[in-house]
Amino acid sequence: MVSRVIPVDVFDLVIFGGTGDLARRKILPGLYRRFMAGQMVAESRIIGAARADLTDESFRQQVREAIAEFVPKARQDATAIEAFLERIHYVAIDATGTNGWAALKALMRENVVRAFYFSVAPSLFGDIAQRLSENGIADAWSRIVVEKPFGRDLASAKALNEVLAKHFNETQIYRIDHYLGKETVQNLMAVRFANILFEPLWKAEYIDHVQITVAETVGVDGRGAYYDKSGAMRDMVQNHLMQLLCLIAMEPPYHFDPDAVRDEKLKVIRALKPVTHEDIVRGQYGGGKGEKSYVVHSENPASRTESYIALKVQISNWRWQGVPFYLRTGKRLRARASEIAITFKQPPHAIFDDASGWHENVLVIRLQPNEGMNLMVMIKEPGPGGMRLMQVPLDMSFADAIDDAEDVPDAYERLIMDVIRGNQTLFMRGDEVEAAWAWTDPIIQGWEARGDKPQTYDPGSSGPEDALMLMHRDGRRWREIRE
Ligand code: BG6
């Protein structure tokens, strides 16, 4: 491809589904914050595209309201908001027809970055991609951004990849997993690969097991129809938890570069062992005491969809031989808490006696809330009377370590700016998504074939009882879920 000199920081960003929920909650407020941070140069523009018959002015009013609702009050500046709104335009478009495409083409400018955000149902990806290319709106330098869910199994993910590949090459496709945009998730790579301290210990010889928890307090109210066809395995494990696992388990890439990082993640996914049914616990939240149950929220009384899942996962390679990764995620749990805990093994020889109070070293990486890192180490309990040990945290809160935590970009802000910069490191490559589905499919097919029902758990609890057994039988226990 002939390279073209363009001012990479000037862009036209078209948001298909510009009036939708994600645009309102995340994309548009996020762009306003980046504008405030001085990252959106003056000539850049955002073009909302959706079916509704709106004018620039009425769309701007919607954006104004979205900012009022989703940007913290302290960051709302009336003059800045108006300046931001001047960069916003709107085109009414029919994704599956002919209306609006000529108007969109007429709006696009030459010699700026063109990015197209597909914030629409995956069933429209093909139609939009085709119209962008047939109408000559997308060129070889354009980028498209696609949201999850990227398929619901391997076959549908392959079909989506094929449909996009007809019009765009892989370097133009940005598949979002918003977990990769979280600061603390990227911190996993910084912690592992910018320090000499951890890497020598990062293997089966020294690590006993890893726990990955993404616990939520929210239920599926309002999105039951989508969620009921998906469930926690497709909604969270196949993408977000899988990405976390990859960042912990991957080999050091030769460089922090899109393909080097994604090649290493892909190797991890390919090395995942199939999961047998004894290593899976599925749950569904019940109701009572004024709480609505999952089946009420999903409006499907016979639903067997899981709102909780715990799995024991093993990686077949030298580094991780015999080290279980216990994954769990669920809705309506006792606290919103996401963390990764790496538990180290015992020292090879104990010089202190059993009563000394010894505990394992644990490295806890808190993703949200209270982002930070804790390394649990043993020290001597102060005072006379022999050697008694106590466990204390070497504690680092990321909020304390940086000046203004409020200005840290949210996941979407970070990822959209990476699209404009043309950096694919934090986006999933087509082969990676397919490999993740290839591992996920037999797990789901297994419980569907057996007709397994998820176990009911109380809202506000830690999940189903059986999940405790998953670790107890290995002589281990889950960490408490708490904020
Ligand atoms: C989304 C899932 O991808 O991630 C939701 O579809 C889930 O079900 C959400 O609630 C969690 O994201 P976060 O950033 O709040 O942890």
Side-chain angles (χ1 to χ4, degrees):
M1 190 190 296
V2 185
S3 74
R4 174 169 78 155
V5 179
I6 48 171
V8 282
D9 46 358
V10 180
F11 62 84
D12 277 349
L13 169 66
V14 180
I15 309 173
F16 293 103
T19 55
D21 202 50
L22 183 72
R24 218 167 56 82
R25 282 172 186 277
K26 294 285 183 187
I27 307 173
L28 291 159
L31 283 161
Y32 163 72
R33 283 175 50 109
R34 289 301 91 207
F35 172 78
M36 288 284 284
Q39 275 197 321
M40 210 175 130
V41 292
E43 304 88 62
S44 296
R45 298 183 314 175
I46 299 157
I47 300 160
R51 190 180 279 274
D53 200 9
L54 302 178
T55 59
D56 279 356
E57 203 30 63
S58 52
F59 182 58
R60 284 177 187 157
Q61 180 55 25
Q62 289 194 1
V63 179
R64 201 178 271 118
E65 286 162 13
I67 293 172
E69 192 173 347
F70 296 109
V71 173
K73 289 278 173 288
R75 292 287 185 275
Q76 294 183 23
D77 174 301
T79 320
I81 292 175
E82 292 313 307
F84 173 69
L85 291 176
E86 278 173 25
R87 326 218 173 291
I88 299 212
H89 301 266
Y90 183 81
V91 182
I93 215 154
D94 181 358
T96 56
T98 51
N99 277 352
W101 294 95
L104 180 60
K105 185 178 165 82
L107 255 185
M108 306 302 293
R109 296 172 298 174
E110 293 298 322
N111 297 324
V112 302
V113 172
R114 291 183 185 182
F116 301 94
Y117 200 125
F118 293 18
S119 179
V120 294
S123 56
L124 295 176
F125 288 179
D127 288 306
I128 296 178
Q130 187 187 342
R131 281 162 182 72
L132 283 176
S133 87
E134 280 176 4
N135 288 292
I137 300 171
D139 58 21
W141 291 272
S142 301
R143 290 130 212 204
I144 62 167
V145 186
V146 294
E147 267 296 328
K148 77 175 260 274
F150 199 84
R152 54 175 284 105
D153 53 20
L154 178 57
S156 52
K158 274 190 171 159
L160 281 177
N161 275 337
E162 276 163 23
V163 111
L164 296 179
K166 279 192 200 150
H167 308 288
F168 297 94
N169 56 47
E170 186 60 34
T171 56
Q172 298 179 284
I173 304 172
Y174 290 71
R175 294 177 196 77
I176 287 213
D177 181 315
H178 81 279
Y179 265 57
L180 289 177
K182 290 181 190 273
E183 276 294 316
T184 34
V185 174
Q186 292 163 52
N187 236 322
L188 281 174
M189 285 185 279
V191 165
R192 281 196 62 194
F193 304 129
N195 295 295
I196 189 81
L197 285 181
F198 301 107
E199 203 47 31
L201 303 177
W202 214 258
K203 51 178 149 181
E205 201 180 342
Y206 298 108
I207 292 181
D208 178 73
H209 75 278
V210 176
Q211 294 186 27
I212 303 180
T213 302
V214 177
E216 298 184 279
T217 51
V218 290
V220 301
D221 18 336
R223 58 200 286 265
Y226 150 77
Y227 192 90
D228 203 46
K229 292 200 194 70
S230 167
M233 186 71 193
R234 287 190 173 97
D235 185 52
M236 298 293 288
V237 177
Q238 184 272 347
N239 38 76
H240 306 325
L241 276 82
M242 172 79 80
Q243 290 297 323
L244 299 178
L245 179 144
C246 284
L247 297 182
I248 297 176
M250 73 188 198
E251 295 301 316
Y254 73 88
H255 192 245
F256 191 59
D257 142 299
D259 277 329
V261 170
R262 297 184 299 177
D263 286 346
E264 296 307 334
K265 288 197 294 171
L266 180 62
K267 285 185 207 160
V268 174
I269 304 174
R270 290 197 172 141
L272 292 176
K273 287 191 190 167
V275 181
T276 55
H277 76 98
E278 312 83 62
D279 288 342
I280 304 170
V281 177
R282 293 161 69 234
Q284 193 185 71
Y285 61 85
K289 296 191 203 129
E291 303 274 0
K292 288 195 179 140
S293 64
Y294 175 84
V295 290
V296 173
H297 279 150
S298 65
E299 298 179 19
N300 179 6
S303 176
R304 290 186 173 186
T305 301
E306 75 286 355
S307 58
Y308 174 100
I309 189 164
L311 308 137
K312 177 177 168 185
V313 176
Q314 312 246 27
I315 304 172
S316 306
N317 63 18
W318 276 36
R319 187 188 280 263
W320 296 112
Q321 197 48 47
V323 180
F325 283 64
Y326 299 94
L327 273 44
R328 64 178 164 167
T329 181
K331 308 249 180 236
R332 291 298 288 114
L333 296 176
R334 66 178 341 142
R336 175 171 183 260
S338 301
E339 63 169 39
I340 296 165
I342 294 150
T343 301
F344 292 87
K345 289 190 168 159
Q346 295 189 10
H349 168 69
I351 64 164
F352 304 113
D353 60 35
D354 288 349
S356 66
W358 179 86
H359 286 282
E360 304 96 344
N361 295 127
V362 187
L363 175 66
V364 183
I365 300 160
R366 283 290 290 196
L367 304 180
Q368 58 194 28
N370 314 321
E371 292 86 345
M373 237 171 68
N374 253 327
L375 179 62
M376 306 303 291
V377 293
M378 299 309 300
I379 60 167
K380 179 188 171 297
E381 199 177 287
M387 178 62 86
R388 282 189 311 277
L389 301 174
M390 64 189 278
Q391 196 183 35
V392 291
L394 283 178
D395 198 351
M396 192 187 77
S397 145
F398 292 148
D400 292 346
I402 51 180
D403 285 345
D404 196 346
E406 276 236 333
D407 274 341
V408 171
D410 143 87
Y412 276 94
E413 296 173 36
R414 159 78 204 240
L415 293 175
I416 295 170
M417 288 300 130
D418 279 359
V419 173
I420 304 299
R421 286 189 204 100
N423 184 346
Q424 288 187 304
T425 311
L426 300 176
F427 295 83
M428 289 177 301
R429 215 167 50 192
D431 51 2
E432 208 183 328
V433 180
E434 289 186 12
W437 280 120
W439 175 78
T440 309
D441 275 3
I443 298 176
I444 296 176
Q445 284 156 5
W447 73 59
E448 283 179 351
R450 288 189 304 275
D452 291 352
K453 283 192 191 149
Q455 198 186 14
T456 307
Y457 61 94
D458 289 335
S461 69
S462 303
E465 294 281 313
D466 286 357
L468 300 179
M469 285 313 297
L470 191 69
M471 292 200 70
H472 278 185
R473 59 165 205 228
D474 294 346
R476 303 185 175 105
R477 54 171 22 181
W478 290 107
R479 290 168 51 79
E480 211 182 301
I481 297 177
R482 60 162 182 243
E483 273 204 7

